[in-house]
C-alpha cells in the first residue's frame, strides 16, 4: 500500500489562524442552531403576523418591556445580555480569521447586522420563533463589542506572542 505523507510546515501564526477558523465555523453552526432550531425562550409582545407568527418592528419596545416588567432579574439577564453575548464571538473571530476585516469596525458591525437580520427574517418565515428588531440591535451591539475587543487586543500584538500578526 502507498502511504502519502505531506509535511505541513505551518508557522505559529498560520496554526493559530487555522484553529481560529475552525472555532469560527463551529461558532456559526452553534449560532444558527441556537437562533433557528433550539428552544424559544421568552414570549412575544408583538402582534401576530401571517400564519400566527409574532414579531416586533418597534425598536427598543421589547427591551423596555423585558427590563421593566420581568418578574425577576434573570429574565433581562438571559434575554437581553444573552443576545449581546451571543454575537461577541462573531465580532471577535471574523476579523481574526479573515484579513479583509482586520481593523475595520464598521465593516464587521455591518456584516453582523446583516447576519442578525437574516436570522430574524428566517425566524419569522421558517420557525415559530419571534422576529424582533431588538434582537438585531442587541446582536449588532454584541458584535461591535467583540470587534472592539479584537482591536484593543490587536493593538498589543507585539506583547502578546500568540495573537494575530500581519
Amino acid at each position: 500500500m502507498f502511504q502519502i505523507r505531506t509535511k505541513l510546515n505551518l508557522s505559529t501564526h498560520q496554526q493559530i489562524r487555522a484553529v481560529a477558523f475552525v472555532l469560527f465555523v463551529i461558532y456559526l453552526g452553534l449560532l444558527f442552531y441556537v437562533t433557528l432550531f433550539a428552544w424559544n425562550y421568552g414570549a412575544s409582545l408583538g402582534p401576530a403576523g401571517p400564519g400566527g407568527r409574532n414579531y416586533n418592528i418597534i425598536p427598543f419596545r421589547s427591551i423596555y418591556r423585558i427590563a421593566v416588567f420581568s418578574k425577576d432579574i434573570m429574565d433581562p439577564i438571559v434575554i437581553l445580555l444573552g443576545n449581546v453575548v451571543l454575537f461577541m464571538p462573531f465580532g471577535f473571530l471574523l476579523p481574526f480569521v479573515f484579513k479583509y476585516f482586520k481593523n475595520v469596525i464598521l465593516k464587521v458591525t455591518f456584516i453582523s447586522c446583516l447576519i442578525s437580520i437574516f436570522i430574524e427574517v428566517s425566524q419569522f418565515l421558517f420557525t415559530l420563533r419571534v422576529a424582533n428588531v431588538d434582537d438585531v440591535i442587541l446582536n449588532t451591539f454584541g458584535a461591535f463589542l467583540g470587534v472592539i475587543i479584537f482591536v484593543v487586543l490587536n493593538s498589543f500584538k507585539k506583547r502578546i506572542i500568540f495573537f494575530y500578526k500581519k
Side-chain angles (χ1 to χ4, degrees):
M1 290 181 88
F2 291 100
Q3 186 175 10
I4 300 173
R5 293 184 182 184
T6 58
K7 186 174 181 181
L8 294 176
N9 290 326
L10 298 175
S11 68
T12 304
H13 163 68
Q14 290 171 324
Q15 291 172 354
I16 291 170
R17 283 196 61 204
V19 169
F21 181 78
V22 170
L23 288 175
F24 187 64
V25 170
I26 292 169
Y27 164 76
L28 287 178
L30 290 172
L31 175 69
F32 289 116
Y33 172 75
V34 166
T35 57
L36 297 176
F37 302 111
W39 64 95
N40 187 8
Y41 187 84
S44 169
L45 301 174
R53 292 177 173 89
N54 291 311
Y55 62 93
N56 171 37
I57 57 171
I58 301 170
F60 304 105
R61 180 181 187 193
S62 67
I63 293 172
Y64 172 78
R65 288 186 175 184
I66 289 168
V68 173
F69 298 114
S70 293
K71 295 177 185 174
D72 58 25
I73 191 69
M74 287 310 294
D75 281 341
I77 289 173
V78 169
I79 297 170
L80 302 178
L81 190 59
N83 273 302
V84 172
V85 171
L86 184 66
F87 264 70
M88 285 178 73
F90 186 87
F92 182 80
L93 290 172
L94 186 67
F96 191 88
V97 171
F98 300 103
K99 290 181 182 181
Y100 176 75
F101 296 106
K102 189 170 180 279
N103 295 326
V104 189
I105 294 172
L106 289 177
K107 285 184 180 178
V108 171
T109 304
F110 179 72
I111 290 190
S112 69
C113 181
L114 292 178
I115 295 290
S116 185
I117 290 170
F118 170 78
I119 289 169
E120 294 304 316
V121 169
S122 296
Q123 285 179 344
F124 182 78
L125 294 175
F126 304 116
T127 70
L128 297 176
R129 308 274 309 254
V130 177
N132 192 343
V133 70
D134 291 344
D135 289 350
V136 174
I137 293 167
L138 294 168
N139 294 341
T140 304
F141 180 67
F144 173 76
L145 291 177
V147 75
I148 292 296
I149 291 169
F150 171 82
V151 168
V152 168
L153 290 177
N154 197 36
S155 68
F156 295 112
K157 68 184 174 190
K158 291 180 182 176
R159 296 180 187 162
I160 301 173
I161 295 170
F162 62 88
F163 206 68
Y164 181 80
K165 295 180 183 179
K166 285 185 181 179

